[in-house]
């Protein structure tokens, strides 16, 4: 399914370790097919953040592909399947509603 962003606008993308891979190339495209991120990750996960969000849409779609890399730049594995990401508008928490206020009872003079 689609990987959705958290309330703070981050997406955790994880993948299985590939035997012999030293790092992984992560590429992200927007809905129009323009590449918006291209970087290497040393582990089997990465966080995507700061992807632009269209406030008029319920969610802004992106696509991600991960490619295993070997010891040298010319050693590349096969691309992963293309996975859909959904950046949701940032949701700030609503302020709480105060239900009641009580004060301590004043002491009676003796």
């Amino acid at each position: 399914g689609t990987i959705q962003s958290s309330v703070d606008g981050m997406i955790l993308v994880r993948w299985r370790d590939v035997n012999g891979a030293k790092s992984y190339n992560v590429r992200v495209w927007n809905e129009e097919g323009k590449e918006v991120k291209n970087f290497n990750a040393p582990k089997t996960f990465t966080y995507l953040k700061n992807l632009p969000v269209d406030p008029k849409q319920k969610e802004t779609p992106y696509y991600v592909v991960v490619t295993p890399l070997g010891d040298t730049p010319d050693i590349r594995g096969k691309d992963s399947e293309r996975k859909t990401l959904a950046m949701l508008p940032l949701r700030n928490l609503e302020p709480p509603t105060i239900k009641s206020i009580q004060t301590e009872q004043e002491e009676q003079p003796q």
Side-chain angles (χ1 to χ4, degrees):
T2 301
I3 303 171
Q4 294 189 331
S5 63
S6 63
V7 294
D8 57 356
M10 291 191 1
I11 296 178
L12 170 62
V13 181
R14 296 182 301 168
W15 54 88
R16 289 204 171 116
D17 191 26
V18 174
N19 192 21
K22 300 300 179 194
S23 64
Y24 299 87
N25 179 243
V26 180
R27 290 171 289 156
V28 180
W29 294 269
N30 64 16
E31 192 173 25
E32 291 80 37
K34 179 182 174 195
E35 188 174 81
V36 294
K37 289 198 180 275
N38 185 338
F39 62 94
N40 292 343
K43 299 183 180 185
T44 57
F45 68 91
T46 190
Y47 289 95
L48 299 175
K49 53 188 173 182
N50 301 325
L51 293 174
V53 174
D54 183 349
K56 293 175 269 182
Q57 294 185 28
K58 181 181 172 187
E59 56 187 41
T60 305
Y62 288 92
Y63 307 98
V64 63
V65 171
V66 179
T67 307
L69 303 174
D71 289 329
T72 61
D74 60 327
I75 300 175
R76 296 176 66 89
K78 292 183 181 180
D79 291 346
S80 69
E81 75 277 6
R82 185 174 87 158
K83 194 75 171 171
T84 304
L85 310 174
M87 284 299 293
L88 305 174
L90 294 181
R91 298 179 300 260
N92 293 327
L93 297 175
E94 295 289 326
T97 301
I98 297 174
K99 292 183 176 182
S100 67
I101 297 176
Q102 295 178 340
T103 60
E104 289 185 34
Q105 196 172 19
E106 291 183 23
E107 289 186 28
Q108 297 292 328
Q110 295 185 10

